[in-house]
Amino acid sequence: MTGRLQDKVALISGAGTGIGAAAAQLFAAQGARVMVCGRRREPLEAVVAQIRAQGGVADWVQADVTDEASVDNAVAVTVERFGQLDVMINNAVNYTWGMLSALETSEWHKCLRGSLDVAFFGTRAAFRAMQGRGGSIVNLGSVAGLLGSPGLSAYGAAKAGVLNFSRAVALEGAAQKIRVNVVIPGIVWSEGTREAMRSPQIAEGTARAVPLGRIGEPEEVANAILFLASDEASYITGQSLVVDGGKTCELNVGATDYTSATSTEIRAAAQEA
């Protein structure tokens, strides 16, 4: 039985840790040849080593996905190494936390660059590489792009932009058989999440705020990305798939009093993005 991505070539950004690393390992296990990219060399090498140890095919390229030339180079290296590009996962993100009155313009622009520009650069480069053969692009959104959260005005605006950007380019790509979709994670264990939740009390409280009663695992988001990247989703484009334990479907009026929350508690709530 062949894998769900057999003979496909996938480029995954932000693939050294977290959701990106989980997606890279899952994709390779499903038959894809995987190129992982990110800013730090050591985590990328570790992910590639793990994939190869399991019999998969993978390589890595360093890239700053907030720089368009670096993204274009990552795509070019992928095509040179594997001969084609079938799947592009724009996963890397760099978010800024800050209450509006204290938010610097430079931080606002940094957040747009770290989320919205990342999706733009990656999607545009993939479009160019997929001309004439089609492909699947999955951009990573956030529940912060669907709902408001104190301290995340910049990040939420950027991720909301990713959603509509993806819808628009899905229409542009349809005639070329290039599908563009979005996976929207809720709170998921990652380096940032663990840093913000050093206190067991904060982690437990955050988990209780999720209808399924726990924080998600990177592999659970990777499974959703795999579905949209695969031919199983061949008739799906311009759509968003939320993976958040039910958080965004809940109307819970008055359950959270942000006016009395400490800055640490607000930061923990912000990690739900």
Side-chain angles (χ1 to χ4, degrees), residues 73-170:
N73 179 69
V75 170
V77 169
T78 302
V79 174
E80 180 181 359
R81 171 70 173 82
F82 294 124
Q84 63 198 54
L85 178 65
D86 303 293
V87 177
M88 179 77 174
I89 310 300
N90 293 309
N91 166 70
V93 64
N94 183 9
Y95 83 92
T96 296
W97 183 92
M99 303 301 279
L100 180 61
S101 60
L103 188 64
E104 298 290 339
T105 302
S106 60
E107 293 299 301
W108 169 268
H109 287 151
K110 178 181 177 182
C111 207
L112 293 179
R113 187 170 64 250
S115 290
L116 190 52
D117 284 3
V118 165
F120 167 58
F121 294 150
T123 301
R124 183 181 63 182
F127 258 56
R128 292 169 176 171
M130 292 174 178
Q131 296 287 332
R133 62 177 294 111
S136 176
I137 300 168
V138 181
N139 293 320
L140 270 289
S142 167
V143 292
L146 299 176
L147 302 172
S149 182
L152 287 179
S153 59
Y155 183 63
K159 286 301 188 181
V162 169
L163 295 180
N164 210 50
F165 166 75
S166 300
R167 294 187 191 104
V169 296

